[in-house]
Amino acid sequence: MAATRADRSSGNYTVFENGVYTACAPCKDDPKKPPLWQVKGARIIHDQNEKMLYFENAQLEFFGVPMAYMPYFSTPDPTVKRKTGFLMPAFSQNSTYGYGVEVRSTGRSLRLRCNVQPALHEPAGRLVPGRIPPAPAGRGLPNSRLRIDQLDRGAFTGQPGDRQFRGGVETKGQSR
C-alpha cells in the first residue's frame, strides 16, 4: 500500500489519499516495473476492525494498463485468508445459449462449505450450479450439482433437454 497522504482516525481507520494497493511483490529484476495487478483509488479507507479496504474512484490495472473503473469497490485486507459473500457478476454470450449473467458467491462455514452460482441465460433459462468440496481430512466426495428451468420451452424443440426442468450430478471418487 502506498499513498500521497495517510491519516489515522479513531484508532481504527486509516484514510489514504491517492492510494495504490497490490499484494504483488516488486519485481526482483526491475523494482520500478509495474506489478502484475494493482488497484488505485482517489481515496482508500482501511477499517482495521472489519479488516476491509474501501476504495473510492478505483481503477484496476494489469501491468500498469488500466482495465476497469469502479466508483466504489471493497475487498478484505491482506490479513484475511477467506471471506464470505458475493463476487463480481460474470457476463457471457454465445449463439446456442444466448446472453447470460452469473452471480457467484463464496462461503467459508465448515458446516456448509458450498459454492452456488445462479445464472440466467436467455433463451435457455435459469441455471443453478453448485459445488460441494470434500470434507477436511479427505472424508466425503467432492460433487457438483446443477439444475436449469427452461424459460422458452420451444427454443430447443427436437433436441435433447427440451423439457422445462433439467439437472445433473457429478461426483468423483476412488475405490480402495
Side-chain angles (χ1 to χ4, degrees), residues 87-100:
L87 302 172
M88 189 71 103
F91 300 96
S92 63
Q93 188 278 329
N94 70 41
S95 59
T96 304
Y97 300 114
Y99 293 94

Side-chain angles (χ1 to χ4, degrees), residues 45-175:
I45 301 166
H46 183 200
D47 184 335
Q48 282 85 10
N49 283 349
E50 287 186 16
K51 297 185 177 199
M52 290 291 293
L53 295 169
Y54 298 97
F55 295 80
E56 295 176 6
N57 294 321
Q59 182 174 296
L60 177 64
E61 294 183 355
F62 288 95
F63 298 106
V65 178
M67 300 300 266
Y69 168 79
M70 297 157 281
Y72 299 99
F73 171 72
S74 66
T75 185
D77 74 16
T79 65
V80 177
K81 186 174 180 182
R82 292 189 93 145
K83 186 89 171 172
T84 61
F86 290 99
L87 302 172
M88 189 71 103
F91 300 96
S92 63
Q93 188 278 329
N94 70 41
S95 59
T96 304
Y97 300 114
Y99 293 94
V101 62
E102 177 182 329
V103 180
R104 297 175 283 176
S105 65
T106 62
R108 69 175 184 181
S109 167
L110 291 177
R111 183 181 293 169
L112 179 62
R113 300 175 335 117
C114 66
N115 188 355
V116 178
Q117 300 173 337
L120 178 62
H121 289 275
E122 184 62 37
R126 292 180 295 269
L127 175 67
V128 185
R131 175 164 161 58
I132 302 173
R139 295 179 303 235
L141 296 172
N143 68 65
S144 298
R145 301 170 187 168
L146 68 91
R147 78 176 261 168
I148 188 165
D149 296 311
Q150 195 71 43
L151 292 179
D152 182 358
R153 294 184 195 161
F156 298 99
T157 303
Q159 298 179 24
D162 63 348
R163 289 168 252 137
Q164 180 181 352
F165 169 80
R166 292 175 284 162
V169 175
E170 175 190 11
T171 187
K172 296 178 183 175
Q174 182 177 350
S175 61

